[in-house]
Amino acid sequence: MISRESEAYQAALGWLVDRIDYEKLATSGSRYRFTLDRMRDLIRRLDHGQHLAVDPNESSAGPPSSEQDSSTDVSASVKSATKSRDSANVQIVHLAGTKGKGSAATMVAALLQAAGYRVGLYTSPHLVHLEERFRVDGEIATPEEMIGLIDSMRPIVDAMAAAKIGGPSFFELTTAMAIEHFHRRRCDIWVLETGLGGRLDSTNVFQSHATAVTSIGLDHQNVLGDTVELIAAEKAGIFKRSTPAINGVPSGPVRNVITQIAEQVGALLSHLETDIQIEPNSDSDKRWGSSFRIRGLGDWMPAETNIDLKLEGTHQVHNAAIALALVDSLPEVTRKLRAEQRI
């Protein structure tokens, strides 16, 4: 068993952390320039291109994607075909928001695990150890798994660095590592939390099956914009055509922006407060935690069912409602829940 104190682990982690290049950051007072081209290239080189989405919202903000060497086309095609068969039924849940997205993502993963699925959860940042970002059924990646994931990235990083597109960033690499980890562990569902914003976040290259914006506030204004409306447009950039989208922002100008983005993309938008209603359970005798009822979901969960949380605060009720709505947005999952009454 390899420990975090081992030389192999420290060397692998050191190589990954060295990908954080502060010299590439924008100068004071200027806007950052993001592009998803490099992330798409990285995912294709990992042979996970079958999960990529075409994002019509992305502007041309960087170098064009490089082409893989023609000498590797045949072998890469064989690998991709094999991985496509292995992961054809993978579903992806994607969350953005100023606050609550980490809690809601964790709740989604817990609900789906309780329903009998193997679930990969990717969140950021970590509190103590980097591998906290990569969880399968609630368990963080082991040091051995981390070394294996990092080693699989090295030749790809070298190849990209030598090409016009350039080497991937630290967050692009950790996102790619999460996807590779979930593939290796044969996860049925991937739950992905955005790192920053949404539209141009590295997690937004994938074709999701359900999306959510939990809340909107002023954050990362030098990157996302200096008004809540601009920030809302960036975070709603994770919406995909014909894909369920849950909005947790209350009525007002910010919700109007989110609605407009959903209409432009063709996402299937539902709102907390109007389409999905939350009612506090005043009859609860809980001394700690929260209790509520939720309406507007499918018949897999009776409307009068009490939902009890071991978390305190109306904000966690809000997050739990988003999590339940996201689960409700996955037809295959709800059919299973209806048949088995697992949750």
Side-chain angles (χ1 to χ4, degrees):
M1 178 180 293
I2 298 176
S3 69
R4 294 190 181 94
E5 290 72 32
S6 70
E7 184 177 338
Y9 175 83
Q10 291 297 326
L13 202 64
W15 177 86
L16 180 63
V17 173
D18 283 345
R19 300 303 307 171
I20 303 175
D21 190 348
Y22 295 102
E23 294 178 355
K24 291 182 180 179
L25 298 182
T27 57
S28 177
S30 66
R31 293 293 299 275
Y32 286 75
R33 290 171 60 83
F34 289 95
T35 175
L36 295 184
D37 292 330
R38 194 170 51 239
M39 187 65 199
R40 293 192 184 101
D41 189 82
L42 174 57
I43 294 301
R44 289 191 185 100
R45 289 173 184 264
L46 276 171
D47 299 317
H48 295 307
Q50 70 272 20
H51 298 297
L52 291 175
V54 177
D55 187 356
N57 293 320
E58 187 193 6
S59 62
S60 179
S65 177
S66 65
E67 296 295 330
Q68 299 220 19
D69 295 337
S70 59
S71 60
T72 64
D73 285 347
V74 175
S75 61
S77 297
V78 173
K79 290 179 182 178
S80 295
T82 301
K83 288 193 174 185
S84 292
R85 289 194 298 270
D86 290 344
S87 57
N89 295 321
V90 167
Q91 297 185 77
I92 301 173
V93 179
H94 195 196
L95 297 92
T98 302
K99 294 181 179 179
K101 62 183 183 294
S103 294
T106 302
M107 292 180 191
V108 170
L111 286 165
L112 293 170
Q113 183 184 347
Y117 293 93
R118 174 166 286 189
V119 185
L121 172 64
Y122 176 55
T123 59
S124 61
H126 57 279
L127 295 178
V128 181
H129 302 294
L130 180 69
E131 47 265 46
E132 293 169 18
R133 300 182 182 216
F134 320 106
R135 296 178 182 268
V136 173
D137 288 349
E139 298 294 328
I140 66 173
T142 66
E144 291 93 337
E145 288 172 326
M146 290 294 293
I147 292 172
L149 290 168
I150 292 171
D151 284 347
S152 69
M153 299 293 155
R154 291 176 187 262
I156 296 175
V157 170
D158 291 341
M160 291 179 67
K164 184 177 180 180
I165 195 142
S169 68
F170 173 82
F171 189 72
E172 288 166 346
L173 275 175
T174 58
T175 302
M177 286 169 57
I179 299 313
E180 178 65 16
H181 182 51
F182 300 159
H183 170 76
R184 293 181 181 185
R185 294 292 303 274
R186 297 184 179 276
C187 291
D188 305 305
I189 301 176
W190 305 345
V191 181
L192 309 178
E193 177 197 8
T194 58
L196 188 157
R199 183 175 65 95
L200 294 175
D201 188 79
S202 297
T203 58
N204 199 34
V205 299
F206 304 105
Q207 178 55 56
S208 52
H209 296 77
T211 60
V213 172
T214 56
S215 66
I216 296 295
L218 292 174
D219 66 325
H220 301 289
Q221 291 163 259
N222 60 325
V223 179
L224 303 178
D226 55 8
T227 68
V228 287
E229 288 82 7
L230 288 173
I231 292 171
E234 288 295 320
K235 294 184 187 291
I238 69 169
F239 294 165
K240 302 291 189 296
R241 181 171 300 280
S242 302
T243 300
I246 309 301
N247 167 51
V249 177
S251 299
V254 176
R255 175 185 278 196
N256 294 342
V257 171
I258 292 172
T259 300
Q260 181 180 10
I261 296 296
E263 291 174 349
Q264 290 174 354
V265 172
L268 309 177
L269 186 63
S270 297
H271 299 285
L272 255 63
E273 183 184 273
T274 52
D275 302 305
I276 303 162
Q277 303 88 39
I278 306 168
E279 178 185 343
N281 182 13
S282 57
D283 298 331
S284 175
D285 58 357
K286 292 173 66 66
R287 296 183 179 181
W288 180 260
S290 308
S291 182
F292 68 98
R293 297 184 183 92
I294 186 169
R295 291 183 171 83
L297 303 184
D299 60 4
W300 59 275
M301 190 181 72
E304 296 304 316
T305 300
N306 292 329
I307 307 297
D308 292 326
L309 294 178
K310 294 181 181 179
L311 298 170
E312 193 78 12
T314 56
H315 63 294
Q316 294 295 8
V317 170
H318 176 93
N319 295 333
I322 290 174
L324 286 164
L326 282 169
V327 171
D328 186 60
S329 298
L330 301 171
E332 291 184 15
V333 173
T334 54
R335 280 195 294 269
K336 177 179 170 66
L337 292 174
R338 190 180 299 111
E340 300 181 7
Q341 296 291 304
R342 294 293 296 271
I343 293 181

